[in-house]
Amino acid sequence: MMPTLGLLEAFDRHSALLARTPITRWPVTVGRGLDCDLVLDDPFVAPTHLRIDRPVDAPRTVHVEVLETRNGAGLQGKHYGKGEGFDWPDGTPLDIGRTRITLRLADTAIADEQALPQFPWRRVAITAVLVALVAAVVLGSSWLEANDASKFLKSLPGLLLGMLLVLGIWSGVWAVTNKVFDGHLQFWRHVRIACAAYLVAEAVQLTTSLAAFAFSWEALSHFAYLLMVLVLAGGLYAHLAAVLPRRRAGLAWTVAAVVALGIPAWLGTQWLDRMRLSNTLYMSSLFPPSLRMAPAVPVPQFLQKAQSLRGKLDRRLRDDGQADDDE
């Protein structure tokens, strides 16, 4: 009986085992052809895709030669085409077509036995805390806007049910997408991502509103939505990275490109429609006067600034009237 020199294994994109073959000699071939040592049922793999050899003069090296294929092979983010060769580091997965293959050599030390996974108490606790915080923020916001305490108390079940329904549908859609592209449902992971993004967005909105009020930074209140866009982009990237964990770099560049192109386009649209870059005219959030850090404006100075606005408004009104007459 020939000794086993190694083990070739093939996995699909969901990391499910497709094929496995022991190696009893060198070299070995991989492809769709029945004469290959590892036969793959992948239409994007050539009949004889790879030849894998372990040179006699370099016993610690595994060399791969790409044969007659149009798709080539990928190793550690680098693509190799037909006729190229490369050394295959031990334990590194190799991509051909839509299949990932790995190689285990007989003379490689076997990793220690891993402990069985325990119940994820920590993740359960984090999820429960995040959902509770979201519920607290939603109820707190509704309480601040409510005029009648009794009506607010009656609306509590509906608010909680609506929040859970929206969170469940949002996370469920991402979980189904995760199942389709990655083979794992990951529902609770998407729940945590959605909750974290919502809480960060609320924190950013509160912080910017408070800073604008305390220091009279009107520009911060006008353009706070740009920070919100960045937070939402981060949440979207987290969802996408969970769906396609092997393409995180490409997803990051894609989301960054969408934000980089979308923000100038939005600002340009605002300028063309309203002759200003923001659709926020004033600070809508007011806090206790004790939180004011900016010095108070004397009444005469305030009246003088208000009077100076009259000329600008009159000119704007005349310009609008002339534009209507021209039409």
Side-chain angles (χ1 to χ4, degrees), residues 63-268:
H63 185 75
V64 178
E65 181 182 0
V66 182
L67 303 177
E68 294 293 330
T69 166
R70 64 171 61 181
N71 294 321
L75 178 69
Q76 296 180 324
K78 187 175 181 180
H79 182 266
Y80 296 91
K82 181 177 67 174
E84 293 186 289
F86 56 91
D87 292 336
W88 189 3
D90 186 22
T92 305
L94 176 64
D95 295 319
I96 57 172
R98 292 182 174 174
T99 303
R100 172 163 290 191
I101 62 175
T102 61
L103 173 64
R104 294 169 53 189
L105 297 174
D107 53 358
T108 300
I110 300 177
D112 295 335
E113 178 187 12
Q114 296 184 7
L116 289 172
Q118 303 296 320
F119 187 79
W121 290 106
R122 184 176 179 181
R123 280 183 288 177
V124 171
I126 293 175
T127 305
V129 169
L130 288 174
V131 173
L133 288 176
V134 170
V137 171
V138 171
L139 296 181
S141 301
S142 300
W143 176 71
L144 291 175
E145 297 174 357
N147 297 322
D148 191 334
S150 61
K151 291 183 179 179
F152 169 72
L153 293 176
K154 291 180 181 177
S155 66
L156 280 180
L159 287 173
L160 288 174
L161 182 60
M163 184 210 75
L164 294 176
L165 189 62
V166 171
L167 183 61
I169 292 176
W170 176 264
S171 304
V173 171
W174 279 109
V176 171
T177 307
N178 218 131
K179 180 66 176 178
V180 172
F181 288 94
D182 190 47
H184 302 88
L185 203 57
Q186 303 271 27
F187 174 78
W188 294 109
R189 182 175 182 178
H190 288 289
V191 169
R192 291 191 293 273
I193 293 173
C195 290
Y198 176 80
L199 293 173
V200 172
E202 288 292 328
V204 169
Q205 184 176 10
L206 177 62
T207 303
T208 54
S209 299
L210 180 58
F213 172 79
F215 299 101
S216 292
W217 292 341
E218 298 180 19
L220 186 58
S221 65
H222 294 170
F223 296 100
Y225 68 90
L226 296 179
L227 297 176
M228 298 295 291
V229 170
L230 297 179
V231 173
L232 296 178
L236 179 62
Y237 166 74
H239 282 299
L240 291 173
V243 174
L244 300 172
R246 297 175 185 174
R247 301 181 183 275
R248 292 183 177 180
L251 293 173
W253 282 107
T254 302
V255 173
V258 171
V259 173
L261 296 176
I263 289 179
W266 169 259
L267 294 176

